[in-house]
Amino acid sequence: MVTSMAQLGSFAPTADEQIAARYRDIYTRLLMTFSTDQPCVIGVTSAIEGEGKSTVARGLATLLAQDGALLEPGQRDGDILLVECHRSQRRRGEVASLVRPGLMECLRGECSPQSAIAATGVERLWMLQAGREAADFPVLIRSSRMDELVAWIRRCFDLAILDLPSILTASDTQVLAAHVDHVLLVVRAGVTPGSLVRRAHRAMGEKVVAAILNDTRRDLPAWLDRGA
Amino acid sequence: MKRYLATFFRGIWIYVPVLSLMVIAATVGGLRLGYTKYDATAHVWIEKPALSAVLGLNAQQTYPPPPELSQQQADALNQLLQSNSFVTEIIKRAPGAFHLAQGQTVPPEAIDTVRQGMQVIVLGPNTLMLAFTAPDANLAEQTVQATFDQYSVWLVSQELEQRLAERQYYLTQLTAHGKQLNAAKQAVADAERQFPKLDPSDNPNSVAPQTLDLERLQRELETAQAQYAQTQAKLDELGPAEVSPGDGRLTRMRLLDLPASYPQPLATRVTSLLAYVLIGAMAGLVAVLAAVAIVTWRDTSIRTLDDLERLVDVPVIEALPHFSGTRRRGRLPDAGASHGEIHAPNGAFDSADAEPAPTARKRVSV
């Protein structure tokens, strides 16, 4: 018999569970926005750096794969590929010579996509990292090899999520956006000026199907913010 | 309105301390400056010299017309109150109120107290009000009385000095005119002695040089007599050099009522302190409100779902809240995944030679 709350455990969801619930909401609403009957490529981007697009892309891919949202037994495996299309900051402690071959090497023809793509700890989730830093990245993404790679990805995966660079820092995003079916725009609350968001949205045009407001904070106390 | 409130609560860690600091500063200021106040007043009647209408004193018409008598006196008194010597004399007339022993030097603080507390208010063309606010009722009353007395003395001495100066001027004029008169008389007498039988009235049409000379001298004599008489008359108008009781040539001032203070103080120390605290709080509130308004106007970032929906014409499908302390780099995502990195088992991503998972190879060979 339960004699104390300690024995019963806490009813409040943990932070991880809360985060998972949010991403579940995101992919549910996304899947209601467009059809995934055919292999689909989604780009996740933002107006400027530091708005959380990579985090959103990874969280979205992880939850989609974990929940098996695209899995249809007997019809499709529900495999999801996360493609890292930029290396805006080197990972902590990473050594350049030990970076795994990725997108850059595939586009240069130094390795095949099969060897560059690696499994993750999540079933049905695969990842193609950006690879070593490349000065010729703008040239590579404009080459025909990019078209071939994207076509190959569509054949092999049910859904690909591209973690794109930010829109206003370079024109590469608009080049890469030509290869995606839909764009998800991430905006960080309290950081990005509205004028920049407007410019970024205009730059991407009709490919933007949805937006996510990231890192919102409750500024008002609950008793003042009723109904928000 | 919500945006302004949100701005306030976002910066509450600075707005509230600023407001508190201003209230504390006002409280400290109030403790130093606030004190119980007693107000003493006295009404003063001022009249022109009694003989001014008769003698035409100050009858000179000027444009624009001069200020009213009470305004002139008020201006003069206010200027005198800026002088340390005048205020010192006031204080010396009320040594008991200022706790000064005979012969003791008047401290500068007392001079500042009188200068800052004394008010001269014009109530009408002939009426002034003297008002003084002090921590003590006795001090207030005696200071008002002393101010009136000192100004009365100063006014009399000023007018007397002016009278003396004018007298001196006219005396000098009289002396000069007297000499001219004597010279003219002497010239006429000499002419008559030289031509005893010459009388211009006997033969008015005569053009003899002697006749013309005599006529001229007589005219000069008349002119000198007139000038002398005019100067003498002005000297008589000024009156004697000393002041006598009922002198109708001096401006008259008198107290309509003796200086008196209200039985209850104008403000107590507590009310003074509360007033300062309230002022400090209001000033702090205005400063905080102004800062909140400015920060809100300048904040063009997107903060709410509504902001983003107004900006873009696509659905905003989620507002991810800020999660603190959940970033764990290098962790395997599992049920209820965090924002962590995607990482292969056994650190496979760290090695360039890591093999793809078997299921992926099978799948990608299609």
Side-chain angles (χ1 to χ4, degrees), chain B residues 164-179:
Chain B
L164 287 174
E166 288 180 16
R167 278 184 59 84
Q168 189 60 39
Y169 171 76
Y170 286 121
L171 279 173
T172 309
Q173 291 281 313
L174 197 66
T175 307
H177 291 318
K179 288 181 182 172

Side-chain angles (χ1 to χ4, degrees), chain A residues 58-81:
Chain A
R58 291 177 183 197
L60 191 59
T62 304
L63 262 294
L64 274 167
Q66 264 185 346
D67 293 354
L70 300 178
L71 175 65
E72 291 181 24
Q75 293 191 6
R76 58 181 182 178
D77 297 332
D79 289 330
I80 296 166
L81 176 68

Side-chain angles (χ1 to χ4, degrees), chain A residues 5-66:
Chain A
M5 287 300 295
Q7 287 179 329
L8 195 59
S10 169
F11 283 124
T14 62
D16 287 349
E17 289 165 356
Q18 291 178 32
I19 295 169
R22 293 286 185 164
Y23 279 107
R24 205 162 280 129
D25 289 342
I26 291 174
Y27 82 65
T28 304
R29 291 181 186 136
L30 261 185
L31 296 179
M32 288 164 63
T33 306
F34 52 82
S35 167
T36 54
D37 292 342
Q38 299 296 322
C40 181
V41 179
I42 299 174
V44 180
T45 187
S46 62
I48 56 176
E49 296 292 330
E51 296 201 65
K53 54 185 175 301
S54 299
T55 307
V56 169
R58 291 177 183 197
L60 191 59
T62 304
L63 262 294
L64 274 167
Q66 264 185 346

Side-chain angles (χ1 to χ4, degrees), chain B residues 12-279:
Chain B
I12 198 169
W13 57 275
I14 193 169
Y15 296 133
V16 169
V18 164
L19 188 59
S20 306
L21 270 173
M22 294 196 75
V23 171
I24 291 169
T27 306
V28 170
L31 286 171
R32 281 182 61 89
L33 300 172
Y35 59 90
T36 301
K37 297 175 187 173
Y38 287 90
D39 193 40
T41 58
H43 292 80
V44 179
W45 178 263
I46 306 171
E47 277 178 344
K48 288 183 181 178
L51 294 178
S52 63
V54 176
L55 301 176
L57 294 177
N58 300 322
Q60 196 177 13
Q61 295 296 321
T62 60
Y63 184 81
E68 290 174 339
L69 186 61
S70 58
Q71 185 65 56
Q72 291 179 27
Q73 302 305 325
D75 293 343
L77 181 53
N78 278 321
Q79 289 180 57
L80 286 169
L81 285 170
Q82 305 308 312
S83 155
N84 284 357
S85 58
F86 185 82
V87 177
T88 301
E89 291 304 317
I90 292 175
I91 294 171
K92 283 181 179 175
R93 286 180 177 273
F98 286 90
H99 308 292
L100 293 177
Q102 282 292 338
Q104 190 178 354
T105 312
V106 173
E109 297 81 29
I111 295 176
D112 288 337
T113 301
V114 172
R115 181 174 295 142
Q116 288 163 14
M118 181 61 66
Q119 283 184 300
V120 183
I121 302 160
V122 175
L123 296 180
N126 294 88
T127 317
L128 285 180
M129 185 173 78
L130 300 178
F132 186 68
T133 305
D136 180 65
N138 190 37
L139 172 66
E141 290 170 5
Q142 291 197 19
T143 306
V144 170
Q145 181 68 58
T147 304
F148 171 78
D149 293 340
Q150 182 61 28
Y151 185 66
S152 298
V153 167
W154 179 88
L155 189 64
V156 167
S157 67
Q158 276 296 105
E159 292 190 348
L160 200 57
E161 276 180 28
Q162 187 175 352
R163 187 195 295 185
L164 287 174
E166 288 180 16
R167 278 184 59 84
Q168 189 60 39
Y169 171 76
Y170 286 121
L171 279 173
T172 309
Q173 291 281 313
L174 197 66
T175 307
H177 291 318
K179 288 181 182 172
Q180 288 174 358
L181 181 61
N182 291 336
K185 283 181 182 174
Q186 187 64 40
V188 169
D190 290 344
E192 286 174 348
R193 205 171 29 253
Q194 190 173 4
F195 303 100
K197 297 200 183 297
L198 185 64
D199 186 355
S201 60
D202 290 343
N203 190 3
N205 294 325
S206 170
V207 292
Q210 299 86 347
T211 307
L212 292 176
D213 276 344
L214 186 57
E215 284 179 354
R216 181 180 56 81
L217 289 173
Q218 284 175 340
R219 280 198 298 275
E220 285 177 1
L221 177 60
E222 288 167 8
T223 304
Q225 284 171 337
Q227 282 180 339
Y228 187 87
Q230 190 179 11
T231 306
Q232 183 66 59
K234 286 206 171 133
L235 204 56
D236 292 337
E237 275 180 21
L238 284 175
E242 301 80 23
V243 174
S244 56
D247 192 326
R249 294 175 178 79
L250 295 175
T251 301
R252 297 191 296 169
M253 282 177 53
R254 58 192 173 96
L255 280 176
L256 293 176
D257 46 26
L258 289 176
S261 61
Y262 294 103
Q264 299 299 324
L266 206 60
T268 63
R269 183 161 186 167
V270 173
T271 56
S272 294
L273 180 62
L274 283 175
Y276 279 106
V277 170
L278 194 62
I279 290 169

Side-chain angles (χ1 to χ4, degrees), chain A residues 16 22 29 55 58 66 79 100 114 118-120 122 126 156 189-190 194 198 201 208 211 213 215-217 219, chain B residues 9-10 300 302 311 313-315 317-320 322 328 333-334 336 339 341-342 349-350 354 357 359-360 363-364:
Chain A
D16 287 349
R22 293 286 185 164
R29 291 181 186 136
T55 307
R58 291 177 183 197
Q66 264 185 346
D79 289 330
R100 182 185 178 86
Q114 293 90 324
T120 66
V122 180
W126 308 88
C156 298
R198 197 180 295 117
H201 183 218
V208 178
L213 187 62
D215 200 26
T216 59
R217 292 168 196 252
D219 292 324
Chain B
F9 279 99
R10 260 199 312 278
T300 58
I302 296 164
L311 208 58
D313 54 1
V314 295
I317 59 175
E318 186 64 39
L320 288 170
H322 173 76
R328 286 166 293 212
D334 49 15
H339 286 213
E341 302 270 343
I342 291 180
F349 272 5
D350 291 340
T359 52
R363 173 61 190 266
V364 301

